[in-house]
Amino acid sequence: MNPNWKNFLLSQQATFESDTRIRFPSPSDPNAKTLYAVPHLAVLTIGGKDAALLLQGQLTCNVNDVTETQGSAGALCNPKGRAIATFLLVKSADAFLMILPAALLEPVKKRLQMYVLRSNVTLTDSSSELCLIGLCDPATRDGALFATSQREEVISVALSAPQSRYLVIAEADKAIALWSERVNHQGFQQEGTEQWRYLDILCRFPWVMPETSEEFIPQMLGLDLLGGISFTKGCYTGQEIVARTHYLGKAKRALFLAECDTLAAPAPNSTIIDDGADTEQAVGKVLEAAHGHGESVCKMLVVLQASGGNADNLKLKDHNQHKITLLP
């Protein structure tokens, strides 16, 4: 994290529980406009004249469709079609910016570096230069999903959620100016990391974490529903498995939104069991979980049998077998 950005957030009453988890005092109005520190995500910059060609051969999305006004979700897969990481991809001038969990930036960079060979491509960890801010404004209507706008070296990506949300990418001085303007003059309230993760879960964006890396094919994560898989662009690593799943049937497992009455949010890759069977049968995994403000239950994204199985008997293994309820 950029030190100037960190010092600024500290001056705004931020508490750093870790480098990737920040909280602020509870907001006074839960329906107010809000902005969020988002240190758990980071930016990998892919530049050079061969950047698009390299990424087109490695990512599930159609990189040629990514422009300065339209980004895309996507996944980087291993040869077996399992998602190493999921991301948002946007374009800025001649470079691509890949937004992904900070914990997976270095593994993804190393994986892409394997395919650079003699290509004119640069891979740069921009975490210390570029800051990420979440914006939520109930009065503003979303544009197209992952639509991007760029103004004065600040990039804004429209996200789909219960409220209008945007992810802002900016250098530290621009981020500080934007934050100050929103708080001091536009009535925005400050929020921390956990609430942004909670909103990502509600809009079903499937962030893969180190614990779930290489566990699921992209369709199990619902990336096809987000436009994050192209079935016409040609070959990329893992494409054969992804395409076969698409054309010969559907994935055996799927992504569901759920909730669980536990005060301790389960970790990614926690096991879900069917408690109705004679023996505890593992039927799925937790992708991510988080609590919203004042909620005793946590919201979760879970990967289960595509039918949902016997939804009345789903419980968390090793968490006092708390009951899981699937949501519409």
Side-chain angles (χ1 to χ4, degrees):
M1 176 181 288
N2 182 280
N4 293 336
W5 176 236
K6 182 174 183 177
N7 289 335
F8 170 76
L9 292 176
L10 287 170
S11 75
Q12 300 296 300
Q13 299 182 294
T15 299
F16 280 72
E17 297 179 349
S18 69
D19 287 341
T20 58
R21 185 164 178 165
I22 301 172
R23 62 179 174 86
F24 290 90
S26 297
S28 56
D29 181 3
N31 298 315
K33 297 178 291 186
T34 45
L35 72 170
Y36 304 76
V38 189
H40 61 294
L41 300 180
V43 180
L44 176 65
T45 301
I46 305 100
K49 67 181 182 67
D50 297 327
L53 184 63
L54 171 77
L55 295 178
Q56 188 75 328
Q58 299 304 321
L59 308 183
T60 59
C61 59
N62 192 336
V63 176
N64 294 332
D65 290 340
V66 176
T67 67
E68 292 191 355
T69 59
Q70 184 62 51
S72 178
L76 171 69
C77 296
N78 65 17
K80 294 183 179 180
R82 304 276 166 163
I84 298 169
T86 50
F87 56 78
L88 288 172
L89 190 69
V90 300
K91 193 173 184 182
S92 178
D94 295 328
F96 293 91
L97 306 181
M98 180 182 286
I99 303 149
L100 72 169
L104 285 173
L105 188 147
E106 195 58 33
V108 167
K109 181 183 176 185
K110 288 182 178 178
R111 174 70 64 139
L112 290 175
Q113 190 67 54
M114 293 168 50
Y115 298 96
V116 170
L117 302 177
R118 296 184 181 181
S119 301
N120 185 334
V121 176
T122 59
L123 301 169
T124 306
D125 179 353
S126 298
S127 304
S128 60
E129 288 81 33
L130 296 177
C131 309
L132 294 171
I133 298 174
L135 290 176
C136 185
D137 185 353
T140 303
R141 297 183 63 183
D142 276 332
L145 185 62
F146 310 133
T148 62
S149 61
Q150 305 190 31
R151 180 180 176 186
E152 297 180 352
E153 300 177 26
V154 175
I155 301 174
S156 177
V157 187
L159 305 176
S160 177
Q163 298 173 335
S164 297
R165 291 197 306 149
Y166 302 86
L167 186 64
V168 175
I169 311 163
E171 294 181 349
D173 58 338
K174 302 287 186 182
I176 291 170
L178 183 148
W179 190 285
S180 300
E181 172 68 19
R182 296 294 194 278
V183 171
N184 297 330
H185 302 292
Q186 298 183 20
F188 278 74
Q189 296 185 2
Q190 303 174 130
E191 290 268 14
T193 310
E194 192 71 359
Q195 187 68 11
W196 187 259
R197 289 184 58 241
Y198 174 82
L199 294 177
D200 270 350
I201 288 171
L202 289 188
C203 78
R204 305 179 189 229
F205 192 90
W207 291 115
V208 168
M209 304 303 291
E211 298 90 338
T212 52
S213 181
E214 303 189 61
E215 287 285 331
F216 310 110
I217 65 172
Q219 288 99 320
M220 293 178 184
L221 303 174
L223 271 179
D224 49 338
L225 305 179
L226 294 176
I229 308 174
S230 171
F231 297 104
T232 60
K233 73 168 193 169
C235 294
Y236 55 87
T237 301
Q239 181 262 348
E240 182 179 355
I241 303 299
V242 176
R244 184 186 303 159
T245 301
H246 175 70
Y247 288 112
L248 298 183
K250 64 180 182 179
K252 295 180 180 179
R253 288 180 280 174
L255 189 73
F256 294 87
L257 179 64
E259 64 181 14
C260 184
D261 60 342
T262 174
L263 294 176
N269 214 32
S270 294
T271 298
I272 298 169
I273 61 171
D274 180 353
D275 195 44
D278 293 335
T279 59
E280 294 181 355
Q281 181 181 358
V283 294
K285 296 285 187 176
V286 174
L287 192 69
E288 268 207 291
H291 285 90
H293 280 310
E295 292 195 359
S296 59
V297 298
C298 72
K299 295 296 191 294
M300 305 187 301
L301 290 178
V302 298
V303 180
L304 302 169
Q305 297 171 358
S307 64
N310 190 340
D312 293 333
N313 298 320
L314 298 176
K315 292 186 178 180
L316 274 174
K317 185 179 181 181
D318 301 328
H319 283 73
N320 296 321
Q321 294 196 357
H322 285 281
K323 179 178 174 58
I324 294 173
T325 302
L326 300 186
L327 301 176

